[in-house]
């Protein structure tokens, strides 16, 4: 009934309006990657057909790359922990007059303990099912993870 197609005028504008309502419903329901991709109208037969594209969760919905910040020794190009570089510079007399040290850093890949499957489960991502964004689940995970230097 909300589509305007039942008992209403069967014209392209009505079909387009219905398609827009379906898109709006997808967004409100959390199906952000879904959309109406086409619409056809056969006014003589009284048939309107909407084509939709619905995204599903992949077989591996989450991939994690753990990283850490490391210091780069300007003389040797060697990388080391930030604390090791601070100690080295202080021992070598490379600290500023106020006792602070400065050095270049980079991000490097490292091993982590977080399992991709655990993240997928926490976000309710099940392979093959429609992808649905649930703000409360995602926001809770981002808030808990961001405290640990993630995201």
């Amino acid at each position: 009934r909300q589509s305007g197609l039942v008992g209403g005028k069967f014209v392209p504008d009505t079909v387009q309006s219905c398609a827009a309502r379906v898109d709006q419903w997808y967004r409100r329901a959390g199906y952000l990657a879904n959309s109406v991709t086409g619409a056809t109208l056969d006014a003589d037969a009284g048939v309107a057909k909407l084509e939709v594209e619905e995204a599903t969760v992949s077989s591996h919905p989450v991939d994690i790359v753990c990283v850490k910040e490391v210091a780069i020794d300007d003389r040797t190009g060697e990388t080391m922990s930030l604390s090791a570089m601070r100690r080295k510079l202080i021992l070598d007399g490379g600290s500023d007059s106020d006792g602070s040290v400065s050095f270049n850093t980079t991000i490097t890949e490292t091993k982590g303990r977080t399992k991709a499957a655990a993240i997928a489960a926490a976000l309710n991502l099940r392979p093959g099912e429609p992808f649905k964004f649930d703000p409360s689940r995602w926001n809770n995970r981002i808030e808990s993870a961001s405290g640990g230097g993630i995201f």
Side-chain angles (χ1 to χ4, degrees):
R1 189 172 284 255
Q2 286 183 350
S3 69
L5 295 174
V6 178
K9 287 186 178 182
F10 214 60
V11 295
D13 287 348
T14 308
V15 175
Q16 291 302 322
S17 176
C18 179
R21 285 178 182 257
V22 171
D23 273 336
Q24 289 170 359
W25 179 85
Y26 275 138
R27 302 293 173 268
R28 281 193 312 272
Y31 297 100
L32 306 180
N34 297 355
S35 65
V36 176
T37 58
T40 57
L41 170 66
D42 184 346
D44 295 334
V47 175
K49 180 179 176 184
L50 299 179
E51 295 175 29
V52 297
E53 191 167 298
E54 296 184 334
T56 57
V57 176
S58 76
S59 59
H60 300 287
V62 175
D63 189 19
I64 298 174
V65 176
C66 297
V67 297
K68 66 179 177 181
E69 184 178 24
V70 294
I72 304 170
D73 186 321
D74 290 336
R75 289 176 281 172
T76 66
E78 175 188 6
T79 60
M80 62 187 75
S81 71
L82 302 178
S83 58
M85 178 60 89
R86 281 188 194 95
R87 283 191 303 275
K88 179 179 180 180
L89 289 173
I90 290 170
L91 289 174
D92 290 348
S95 61
D96 293 337
S97 59
D98 63 357
S100 65
V101 294
S102 60
F103 47 87
N104 292 321
T105 64
T106 190
I107 302 296
T108 186
E109 196 169 322
T110 187
K111 285 197 168 229
R113 295 187 312 244
T114 304
K115 303 293 182 220
I119 301 281
L123 296 175
N124 204 26
L125 298 174
R126 294 188 182 96
E129 289 190 7
F131 173 77
K132 182 176 182 180
F133 177 74
D134 179 348
S136 63
R137 292 183 84 89
W138 286 72
N139 290 340
N140 288 343
R141 296 319 169 272
I142 290 171
E143 286 172 11
S144 65
S146 63
I150 303 172
F151 298 112

